[in-house]
């Protein structure tokens, strides 16, 4: 439909109306000089309407969360930023004017952590890895959800979660939010799911949804039916034994283990994926020139040629 050249590691967020998208990117002048830009793109003309510089947004290598989210009411843009001292904060911009309206300093250990938007807050998951670049060296911070009121520009609540420690097994790999914004799911690489009520900010369930020896989850998403989609691999270094699983989740607030996956698909070339609003699964591989559309209902496959020899996809966003 359209093509727009971007800088490095682009993050994209659609406006609620669908008439524009917000683009966060890094424009490099040289190997040692770069500028982080926040832009507004008109989706009817595919032209840039406005742009502004941001301080130092977090850049992720895949897999990783976006460094750009919208506030619950769609009036504010939140940019996830950091500096060389290991500090992390949200830079908040007016979505209409791109004026910077405030900052929110985040606790230590929030680097490389997922961010989602619920009905009332922007929520960040911290404590996934050891963080820090100070005189004390690397530090371990507790696993916790921090709820940010964007309009008040402050952290209004924090919820400590049961933390398995520094070992790889049991560490969160993704944070998801239900389509109605009322439920948060923290998904660990051993298929442990912590279900949090986004309104009361309390844990509702904490279970392993499917028992399997060393599942090694590398990505998670929710499909249009509210089922949990997870990518698993026997070895994350070699990507051997890759599968995509669809697991049925019970009504929010009453998670229970499932006996078997609703669907299991072998994966060879496309280890990354996201669920679309049309019941399809979109799969891609960093560096691939193809986007694969897989219909979960009938198994039909469509490969879409993206063009170019070194296509790097930072993310696929779902516009409902």
């Amino acid at each position: 439909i359209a093509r727009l050249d971007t800088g490095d590691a682009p993050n994209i967020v659609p406006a609620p109306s669908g008439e524009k998208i917000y683009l966060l990117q890094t424009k490099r002048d040289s190997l040692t000089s770069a500028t982080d830009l926040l832009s507004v793109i008109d989706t009817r003309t595919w032209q840039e309407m406005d742009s502004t510089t941001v301080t130092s947004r977090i850049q992720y290598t895949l897999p990783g969360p976006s460094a750009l989210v919208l506030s619950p009411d769609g009036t504010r843009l939140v940019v996830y930023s950091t500096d060389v001292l290991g500090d992390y904060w949200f830079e908040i911009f007016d979505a209409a004017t791109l004026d910077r309206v405030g900052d929110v300093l985040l606790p230590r250990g929030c680097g490389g952590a997922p961010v989602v938007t619920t009905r009332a807050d922007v929520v960040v998951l911290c404590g996934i890895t050891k963080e820090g670049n100070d005189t004390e060296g690397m530090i371990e911070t507790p696993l916790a959800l921090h709820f940010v009121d964007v309009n008040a520009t402050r952290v209004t609540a924090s919820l400590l979660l049961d933390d398995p420690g520094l070992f790889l097994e049991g560490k969160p790999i993704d944070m998801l939010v239900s389509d109605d914004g009322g439920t948060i799911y923290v998904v660990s690489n051993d298929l442990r799911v912590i279900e949090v009520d986004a309104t009361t900010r309390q844990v509702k369930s904490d279970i392993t949804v499917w028992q399997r020896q060393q599942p090694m989850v590398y990505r998670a998403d929710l499909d249009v039916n509210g089922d949990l989609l997870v990518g698993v691999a026997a070895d994350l270094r070699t990507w051997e034994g890759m599968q995509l699983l669809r697991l049925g989740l019970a009504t929010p607030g009453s998670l229970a283990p499932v006996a078997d996956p609703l669907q299991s698909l072998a994966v060879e070339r496309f280890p990354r994926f996201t669920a679309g609003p049309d019941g399809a699964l979109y799969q891609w591989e960093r560096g691939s020139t193809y986007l694969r559309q897989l219909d979960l209902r009938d198994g039909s496959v469509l490969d879409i040629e993206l063009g170019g020899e070194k296509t790097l996809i930072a993310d696929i966003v779902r516009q409902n």
Side-chain angles (χ1 to χ4, degrees), residues 183 185 191-195 204-211 226-228 246-262:
T183 305
Y185 299 99
L191 269 175
R192 173 193 178 202
V193 178
I194 303 174
E195 180 186 30
K204 303 292 290 184
S205 304
D206 183 349
I207 67 167
T208 299
V209 294
W210 187 50
Q211 298 287 346
D227 294 329
L228 178 64
R246 183 162 65 96
L247 305 174
L249 294 184
T251 304
S254 59
L255 280 186
V258 298
D260 295 295
L262 297 175

Side-chain angles (χ1 to χ4, degrees), residues 46 64 123:
W46 212 241
V123 184

Side-chain angles (χ1 to χ4, degrees), residues 122-276:
V122 172
V123 184
V124 59
L125 174 64
C126 299
I128 292 180
T129 60
K130 290 192 296 184
E131 296 293 339
N133 188 23
D134 53 19
T135 56
E136 296 178 6
M138 301 296 285
I139 58 175
E140 184 181 8
T141 53
L143 187 66
L145 294 178
H146 300 288
F147 297 80
V148 177
D149 185 322
V150 172
N151 293 318
T153 62
R154 63 188 180 93
V155 176
T156 56
S158 297
L159 175 64
L160 289 176
L161 302 176
D162 184 27
D163 190 351
L166 293 176
F167 299 104
L168 176 64
E169 184 177 356
K171 274 295 183 182
I173 51 89
D174 228 329
M175 178 169 59
L176 315 172
V177 63
S178 59
D179 282 345
D180 63 5
T183 305
I184 300 168
Y185 299 99
V186 178
V187 183
S188 297
N189 56 17
D190 59 354
L191 269 175
R192 173 193 178 202
V193 178
I194 303 174
E195 180 186 30
V196 177
D197 188 306
T199 301
T200 64
R201 300 164 178 171
Q202 296 297 316
V203 173
K204 303 292 290 184
S205 304
D206 183 349
I207 67 167
T208 299
V209 294
W210 187 50
Q211 298 287 346
R212 174 184 168 175
Q213 185 179 5
Q214 296 181 336
M216 299 298 291
V217 176
Y218 62 85
R219 183 171 174 84
D221 201 0
L222 294 171
D223 70 6
V224 292
N225 299 315
D227 294 329
L228 178 64
L229 299 170
V230 290
V232 300
D235 189 333
L236 294 183
R237 295 167 299 179
T238 62
W239 297 103
E240 291 181 353
M242 288 188 299
Q243 288 180 296
L244 295 179
L245 305 178
R246 183 162 65 96
L247 305 174
L249 294 184
T251 304
S254 59
L255 280 186
V258 298
D260 295 295
L262 297 175
Q263 198 166 18
S264 177
L265 304 168
V267 182
E268 295 180 1
R269 293 186 52 210
F270 301 89
R272 307 290 296 153
F273 68 91
T274 194

